């Protein structure tokens, strides 16, 4: 007595679904499915509720996110005042001289749309070294700069890119670092967690994923340690999500060492053996900086910016891997049968990676077969959309960024330059494959997390193109239909993760990963989709979440 969205090729709608031995036996009418009932069959009357395939998040960082608030809670911050209040509070409990760190509170999401200044950081914690970091970029107070040796003579010396911003009048560093946070000599004073505590928090996070209908994820920069933690949970029968991994591989150092590391990943049994619970699908690198930090690599200059403290009118962002080094890295992955993906935010980085894929495809390497990927792929162009589709390159895009950052991006670049920002409808129209993720980085809680992992917020954003603190829609011509949006988080993600023959739709023979909702997201008002509640989540036919059990 339900509405079952199978998300098969025809997007068939059924009344009921039958499950046996953890797999979908059949879908059809209520009467037809009840004929399959045996003496021990559990029958669930859906009462008209919508059932969808288990949702997948193609981009999360679970092990780090789960531990964010292990030492102490971190409040939500929407202004510089919030940031300074938090740092002031930490300075009162952290012993003098010890480091205070705050990470991934992005300036694009603060009302003031800027970094806290060196003097502001000094004012709340003059006797503590302070780092406010947003990935590879950071703002430091005076003591942190002194301890890290960052002065007017500072230069990048490790072969990587990046720079310390300087006051144009005095030549002194301002405290803002671009792709240089690796040079900050941070010493953590946070209490360490035991192996058991880390596993417990990870299981707690996975349970929260289940509570919003997530049954499959991809760790898009998995460390060796993270993969081992997933393996232990799998072996103990304690995973409640199916985990795919893009293992992180660094791009600095001797090229031969890097390519050897890539090939070694391909020999791991977690890659070579098919497993429905845990699998390494490929590797992840970082090609450029971020749009949240003013360092994404663009085809055209960013433009002088007070928001991002950009003073050079020719500045195009930061490219981490030059093409001559990128080509052999990608080649090693493709030859090894690994999915290569790289953090590529700006259109300059996206075009470069697609250019490399195109070159290697012409050499006969398996770009399409390994489902070579572009991670983030926020800033695109019509040419990039068409080239990705032609090559069979899959895209991993996070609507939460559109929801949280449109206000700042329009202010920085103007509306017209964002024509191909997350161009989801164009990608579908071109025949490309794009999957939805969140880039969940910190905190447990689907809406309070840094980059919210609530998929219903993602669905609503992809359908409406409406954003926080922004009037109107961002290029509504790129909005997805509801059917497309549901595919985006189900079968398309299954294709990104090499699982479409096992999950992503409710078809006979596939794993019984499914979700019962309190709202019909196919017909309800658009602005009600994000408020959808999950009533029950099933993984392999086993109930892993029930709202009534909360």
């Amino acid at each position: 007595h339900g509405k079952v969205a199978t998300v098969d090729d025809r997007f068939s709608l059924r009344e009921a679904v039958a499950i046996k031995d953890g797999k979908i036996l059949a879908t059809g009418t209520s009467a037809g499915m009840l004929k399959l009932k045996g003496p021990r069959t559990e029958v669930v009357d859906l009462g008209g509720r919508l059932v969808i395939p288990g949702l997948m998040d193609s981009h999360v960082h679970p092990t780090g996110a789960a531990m964010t608030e292990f030492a102490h809670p971190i409040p939500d911050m929407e202004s510089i005042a919030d940031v300074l209040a938090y740092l002031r509070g930490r300075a009162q409990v952290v012993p003098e001289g010890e480091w205070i760190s705050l990470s991934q509170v992005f300036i694009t999401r603060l009302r003031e749309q800027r970094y806290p200044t060196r003097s502001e950081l000094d004012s709340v914690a003059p006797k503590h070294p302070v780092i406010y970091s947003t990935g590879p970029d950071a703002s430091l107070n005076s003591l942190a700069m002194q301890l890290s040796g960052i002065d007017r003579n500072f230069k990048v010396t490790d072969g990587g890119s990046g720079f310390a911003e300087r006051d144009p009048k005095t030549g002194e560093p301002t405290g803002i670092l671009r792709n240089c946070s690796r040079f900050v000599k941070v010493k953590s004073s946070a209490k360490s967690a035991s192996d058991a505590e880390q596993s417990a928090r990870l299981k707690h996070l996975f349970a929260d994923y289940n509570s919003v209908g997530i049954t499959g994820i991809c760790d898009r920069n998995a460390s060796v340690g993270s993969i081992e933690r997933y393996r232990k949970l799998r072996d103990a029968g304690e995973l409640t999500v199916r985990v795919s991994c893009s293992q992180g591989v660094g791009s600095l150092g001797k090229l031969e060492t890097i390519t050897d590391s890539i090939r070694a990943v391909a020999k791991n049994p977690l890659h070579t053996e098919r497993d429905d619970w845990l699998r390494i699908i490929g590797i992840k690198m970082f090609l450029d900086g971020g749009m949240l930090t003013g360092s994404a690599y663009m085809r055209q200059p960013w433009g002088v910016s007070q928001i991002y403290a950009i003073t050079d009118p020719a500045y195009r962002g930061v490219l981490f891997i030059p093409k001559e080094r990128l080509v052999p890295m990608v080649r090693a992955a493709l030859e090894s049968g690994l999915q290569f993906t790289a953090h590529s935010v700006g259109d300059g980085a996206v075009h470069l990676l697609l250019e490399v894929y195109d070159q290697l495809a012409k050499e006969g390497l398996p770009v399409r077969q390994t489902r070579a990927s572009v991670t983030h792929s926020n800033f695109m162009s019509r040419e990039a959309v068409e080239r990705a589709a032609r090559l069979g390159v899959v895209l991993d895009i996070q609507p939460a960024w559109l929801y949280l950052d449109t206000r700042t991006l329009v202010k920085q670049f103007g509306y017209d330059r964002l024509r191909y920002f997350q161009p989801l409808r164009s990608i579908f129209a071109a025949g490309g494959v794009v999957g939805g993720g969140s880039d969940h980085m910190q905190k447990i809680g689907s809406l309070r997390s840094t980059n919210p992992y609530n998929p219903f917020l993602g669905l609503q954003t992809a359908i409406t193109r409406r954003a926080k603190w922004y009037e109107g829609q961002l290029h509504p011509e790129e909005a997805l239909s509801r059917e497309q949006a549901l595919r985006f988080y189900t079968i398309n993600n299954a294709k990104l993760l090499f699982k479409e023959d096992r999950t992503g739709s409710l078809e006979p023979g596939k794993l019984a990963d499914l979700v019962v909702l309190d709202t019909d997201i196919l017909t309800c008002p658009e602005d009600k989709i994000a408020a959808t509640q999950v009533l029950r989540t099933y993984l392999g036919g086993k109930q892993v979440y029930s709202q009534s059990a909360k």
Side-chain angles (χ1 to χ4, degrees), residues 26 33 148 181 201 213 334 347 405 419 441 452 461 470 473 488:
M33 295 304 97
S148 301
S181 60
R201 288 187 67 86
L334 300 182
D347 53 6
D405 302 306
R419 171 61 186 83
M441 297 180 184
T461 302
Y470 180 75
Q473 297 170 277
F488 181 57

Side-chain angles (χ1 to χ4, degrees), residues 315-546:
Y315 171 77
R316 291 174 52 200
V318 182
L319 184 69
F320 296 162
I321 312 173
K323 184 179 179 182
E324 61 271 17
R325 282 176 62 86
L326 181 62
V327 169
M329 295 174 189
V330 178
R331 179 181 283 116
L334 300 182
E335 289 176 343
S336 302
L338 294 168
Q339 179 187 71
F340 184 94
T341 196
H343 166 116
S344 308
V345 173
D347 53 6
V350 171
H351 272 247
L352 174 59
L353 185 54
L354 289 173
E355 183 181 312
V356 170
Y357 286 149
D358 206 350
Q359 174 184 323
L360 294 176
K362 289 173 181 174
E363 294 178 16
L365 271 73
V367 170
R368 182 181 299 274
Q369 296 85 340
T370 58
R371 304 184 191 184
S373 171
V374 184
T375 286
H376 301 312
S377 200
N378 283 303
F379 294 86
M380 297 188 73
S381 64
R382 178 172 293 281
E383 300 77 33
V385 168
E386 293 172 351
R387 182 180 252 184
R390 174 173 58 80
L391 293 171
V393 170
V394 300
L395 307 172
D396 163 29
I397 293 179
Q398 302 79 43
W401 289 23
L402 187 155
Y403 176 72
L404 291 172
D405 302 306
T406 289
R407 174 190 67 132
T408 299
L409 295 174
V410 170
K411 183 176 180 180
Q412 174 64 33
F413 295 112
Y415 185 83
D416 291 344
R417 189 169 169 183
L418 298 178
R419 171 61 186 83
Y420 285 95
F421 181 81
Q422 296 195 359
L424 298 179
R425 184 176 281 271
S426 289
I427 296 167
F428 270 81
V433 177
V434 56
S438 64
D439 198 10
H440 173 215
M441 297 180 184
Q442 295 188 346
K443 301 184 180 180
I444 298 174
S446 71
L447 293 173
R448 66 180 296 269
S449 52
T450 302
N451 295 337
Y453 55 83
N454 187 301
F456 302 102
L457 174 63
L459 283 161
Q460 180 171 303
T461 302
I463 292 165
T464 66
R465 305 279 294 190
R466 293 188 183 277
K468 182 180 180 181
W469 294 341
Y470 180 75
E471 293 295 326
Q473 297 170 277
L474 180 66
H475 291 288
E477 63 270 29
E478 290 297 347
L480 293 182
S481 69
R482 299 192 196 213
E483 177 183 323
Q484 289 172 326
L486 192 50
R487 290 187 184 282
F488 181 57
Y489 279 99
T490 56
I491 192 64
N492 279 21
N493 270 341
K495 291 174 181 176
L496 261 65
L497 307 180
F498 303 87
K499 291 176 175 286
E500 74 273 19
D501 61 331
R502 302 287 284 161
T503 62
S505 62
L506 303 180
E507 299 180 82
K510 287 194 173 184
L511 296 166
D513 298 352
L514 51 90
V515 183
V516 183
L517 306 181
D518 75 338
T519 302
D520 186 345
I521 59 175
L522 300 176
T523 61
C524 72
E526 287 183 347
D527 62 357
K528 302 298 183 185
I529 295 173
T532 297
Q533 297 291 305
V534 169
L535 300 178
R536 290 188 292 279
T537 302
Y538 294 86
L539 191 63
K542 177 184 177 183
Q543 186 170 291
V544 293
Y545 171 76
S546 171

Side-chain angles (χ1 to χ4, degrees), residues 79-122:
S79 67
I80 294 292
D82 292 342
V83 169
L84 297 178
Y86 169 77
L87 295 173
R88 185 182 294 109
R90 295 302 300 154
Q92 292 171 0
V93 296
V94 174
E96 284 187 13
E98 291 191 7
W99 282 81
I100 297 174
S101 300
L102 179 60
S103 62
Q104 310 307 70
V105 177
F106 296 105
I107 61 171
T108 56
R109 299 170 185 177
L110 297 178
R111 291 188 181 276
E112 296 86 353
Q113 299 171 300
R114 65 171 175 83
Y115 284 100
T117 66
R118 177 177 172 181
S119 61
E120 286 172 331
L121 297 179
D122 285 345

Side-chain angles (χ1 to χ4, degrees), residues 71-276:
H72 59 271
I74 300 174
D76 296 339
M77 299 179 214
E78 294 189 339
S79 67
I80 294 292
D82 292 342
V83 169
L84 297 178
Y86 169 77
L87 295 173
R88 185 182 294 109
R90 295 302 300 154
Q92 292 171 0
V93 296
V94 174
E96 284 187 13
E98 291 191 7
W99 282 81
I100 297 174
S101 300
L102 179 60
S103 62
Q104 310 307 70
V105 177
F106 296 105
I107 61 171
T108 56
R109 299 170 185 177
L110 297 178
R111 291 188 181 276
E112 296 86 353
Q113 299 171 300
R114 65 171 175 83
Y115 284 100
T117 66
R118 177 177 172 181
S119 61
E120 286 172 331
L121 297 179
D122 285 345
S123 71
V124 295
K127 298 180 180 179
H128 297 78
V130 176
I131 177 171
Y132 171 100
S133 63
T134 51
D137 299 347
S139 182
L140 309 182
N141 74 345
S142 297
L143 187 53
M145 293 174 65
Q146 178 185 329
L147 293 174
S148 301
I150 297 172
D151 56 22
R152 65 184 302 130
N153 299 314
F154 171 79
K155 292 181 180 179
V156 171
T157 56
D158 62 357
S161 56
F163 58 93
E165 291 190 353
R166 301 179 187 280
D167 185 301
K169 294 180 180 179
T170 66
E172 291 292 330
T174 64
I176 295 176
L177 305 180
R178 299 291 184 186
N179 191 34
C180 283
S181 60
R182 65 188 182 278
F183 292 103
V184 182
K185 296 179 171 58
V186 181
K187 293 181 181 179
S188 176
S189 59
K191 67 174 182 177
S192 58
S194 67
D195 186 72
E197 287 171 325
Q198 292 182 62
S199 294
R201 288 187 67 86
L202 186 58
K203 288 192 291 182
H204 177 50
L205 172 58
F206 286 168
D208 205 67
Y209 283 167
N210 298 151
S211 76
V212 289
I214 295 173
T215 58
I217 60 169
C218 185
D219 184 332
R220 280 295 185 189
N221 191 35
S223 67
V224 172
S226 294
I227 294 170
E228 178 62 13
R229 190 165 304 284
Y230 301 141
R231 187 190 65 77
K232 287 181 177 178
L233 290 179
R234 180 203 65 180
D235 293 350
E238 295 180 326
L239 281 180
T240 62
V241 292
R242 305 188 191 281
V243 181
S244 301
C245 297
S246 292
Q247 185 168 330
V249 175
S251 62
L252 295 177
K254 191 176 179 182
L255 190 56
E256 184 180 0
T257 302
I258 297 168
T259 54
D260 285 348
S261 297
I262 293 170
R263 294 188 177 96
V265 172
K267 297 175 182 177
N268 191 315
L270 288 174
H271 172 69
T272 58
E273 299 171 9
R274 183 68 183 264
D275 188 296
D276 289 328

